Amino acid sequence: MTDAHSPWPLFCNDLEQAQQWVGDQLANAPCDLQLGHQALSLGMNGTVREILSREDLPLQDSTGRQWRFRLARLQGVSNPYSELIPPDVQAFTDLQMDHARRMSVPAVVSLLGGIGDHLEVISMLLAWSRIESHPLILQVTPERQEALAPLVEPIPQLSLQSTIHPRAIQGMAMREWICRHHGVIRFGAWIQVGHEANDKPKGTLCCWKAKGEDNLLSAYLRSVPFALVMDFYKKALAKDPKVELIDISDWTPHEKHQLKALGVQCRDPRAIGLKGLIQLCLPREIITIDTALAHLCAVMGKDTTLLLNHFPDERWVELHQPHHCYGQHLRIKKQVHFSDWTETLSALIS
């Protein structure tokens, strides 16, 4: 079993069983980073706080920081990033930002994570850049540069590069710096799109499945099972046989075959790119789980239905505020019962 995997008791709809398993494992290995993350994903916040309060444990500094950061976000702390970023990284960030502002040169910020993470942090960085009239260089991987370039190139305050820069500031450290020096941070829509062609949506575009290469439990908790998706589509077509349904989830070839036989269009977002996906979204209603599509719709100002699991990622406490584009454009429907999407999908059909 690798760090990215979890044993079967977690992959169920029995919350008590899952919490009991993680609790038993933490009793034997209270300093295990991944077990703590799993506990937080199952709503065991008190268990993690109790571990953090103990002075007899050889808890690694990075492990404690990650757990405290997640808890601070859940509590709505104004600068949760201060729990995550160690003092030496804060000092480095201060030094680089002082240099960039004094010399009137762009600050370089290194971005990590998936496309959704990039869209989110660009939303925040661009809002700060416009207020402060200070340009930024975003250091990304060549793959991310290729995907984001068509969206970022028209924005004069931002530029992309894939080469390593010695003065690059970590993305999370930049968030901490903005919170510390400017109070609250802002997340604003930044992808410019034209008006929708028609007031009435042409159909519905859906994403039901998270990949979760590095966190299979998170992907499982966020994703809707294929059988429920098929039932949803059948009921939608029964209500309106002519409705256009597009699915961009990463289903298996066999699952895609079943969807196509039903009349659902399956599209690969990697093949059409972000600009192509934006054009698909514009004239349609959007239903998505917590994945990159939710971030894309928020930062392009597209009203969207966002399905969140019973214990959603703590980022939504911060993002889904009325003054952010996420709060303004994402309508959240939260799972009623742990690992059970039945009622949520029934409400969508209704």
Side-chain angles (χ1 to χ4, degrees):
M1 184 177 70
T2 67
D3 288 341
H5 292 73
S6 302
W8 71 265
L10 297 183
F11 294 82
C12 65
N13 61 359
D14 188 332
L15 178 59
E16 184 177 351
Q17 172 184 273
Q19 290 177 335
Q20 182 65 51
W21 187 90
V22 171
D24 291 343
Q25 299 301 309
L26 275 172
N28 295 322
C31 299
D32 188 291
L33 173 64
Q34 295 305 322
L35 284 173
H37 283 313
Q38 290 168 356
L40 291 172
S41 296
L42 296 173
M44 301 171 64
N45 304 343
T47 300
V48 176
R49 287 195 189 95
E50 191 276 328
I51 293 173
L52 288 169
S53 68
R54 292 173 58 179
E55 298 180 355
D56 62 324
L57 295 176
L59 196 66
Q60 290 190 10
D61 181 59
S62 60
T63 298
R65 285 187 175 279
Q66 291 185 48
W67 293 351
R68 283 191 291 269
F69 166 63
R70 294 189 63 183
L71 287 169
R73 256 185 162 183
L74 283 168
Q75 294 167 349
V77 174
S78 59
N79 185 5
Y81 307 98
S82 63
E83 298 286 359
L84 181 66
I85 307 302
D88 60 326
V89 178
Q90 291 186 25
F92 176 82
T93 303
D94 288 340
L95 181 65
Q96 301 312 318
M97 289 303 299
D98 288 345
H99 170 82
R101 301 173 93 183
R102 186 176 64 255
M103 302 301 294
S104 297
V105 296
V108 183
V109 182
S110 174
L111 306 188
L112 300 174
I115 282 290
D117 299 310
H118 284 55
L119 295 171
E120 174 192 324
V121 74
I122 291 173
S123 172
M124 179 270 297
L125 291 176
L126 184 58
W128 173 85
S129 176
R130 285 170 171 163
I131 293 172
E132 294 298 308
S133 300
H134 196 99
L136 295 169
I137 296 173
L138 307 180
Q139 180 181 292
V140 297
T141 65
E143 178 186 10
R144 296 285 181 253
Q145 183 172 19
E146 181 179 0
L148 292 167
L151 305 180
V152 173
E153 284 174 353
I155 302 174
Q157 295 97 331
L158 301 180
S159 60
L160 300 172
Q161 72 173 38
S162 58
T163 55
I164 304 299
H165 194 287
R167 293 186 178 274
I169 300 166
Q170 297 176 17
M172 286 293 190
M174 186 64 184
R175 295 193 192 202
E176 191 282 328
W177 184 88
I178 292 175
C179 283
R180 180 156 43 92
H181 289 272
H182 298 271
V184 297
I185 58 179
R186 301 283 177 176
F187 295 87
W190 60 272
I191 296 178
Q192 301 299 316
V193 294
H195 295 291
E196 296 182 16
N198 300 298
D199 292 333
K200 185 177 180 180
K202 291 182 179 179
T204 303
L205 184 147
C206 305
C207 182
W208 308 100
K209 188 176 179 181
K211 292 183 180 180
E213 290 98 343
D214 59 345
N215 192 333
L216 295 183
L217 177 61
S218 173
Y220 168 76
L221 294 174
R222 288 182 286 138
S223 299
V224 180
F226 181 72
L228 286 180
V229 172
M230 282 290 288
D231 184 62
F232 172 85
Y233 284 143
K234 288 176 181 178
K235 290 178 178 177
L237 289 167
K239 293 187 72 172
D240 183 1
K242 295 183 179 181
V243 67
E244 180 194 57
L245 299 172
I246 300 177
D247 194 313
I248 65 166
S249 312
D250 189 23
W251 300 116
T252 66
H254 177 65
E255 290 166 337
K256 289 180 180 179
H257 178 75
Q258 294 184 65
L259 291 171
K260 291 175 182 177
L262 195 62
V264 178
Q265 301 177 43
C266 295
R267 302 293 297 271
D268 182 356
R270 291 165 295 188
I272 62 178
L274 285 176
K275 291 200 76 171
L277 185 56
I278 289 170
Q279 295 307 310
L280 270 184
C281 290
L282 278 176
R284 296 173 175 87
E285 290 192 25
I286 310 296
I287 301 173
T288 181
I289 61 165
D290 177 3
T291 189
L293 181 59
H295 295 279
L296 179 62
C297 290
V299 301
M300 62 185 271
K302 170 69 177 176
D303 290 344
T304 296
T305 298
L306 171 62
L307 309 183
L308 292 183
N309 55 294
H310 197 60
F311 298 110
D313 190 302
E314 59 279 352
R315 75 169 67 191
W316 295 108
V317 175
E318 177 182 25
L319 291 177
H320 204 261
Q321 299 296 323
H323 53 282
H324 297 326
C325 60
Y326 288 84
Q328 293 164 0
H329 298 288
L330 301 185
R331 302 182 300 270
I332 289 179
K333 291 189 178 296
K334 190 176 176 182
Q335 199 176 62
V336 179
H337 303 291
F338 174 75
S339 197
D340 183 355
W341 293 101
T342 307
E343 291 187 39
T344 311
L345 266 62
S346 295
L348 288 179
I349 289 292
S350 299

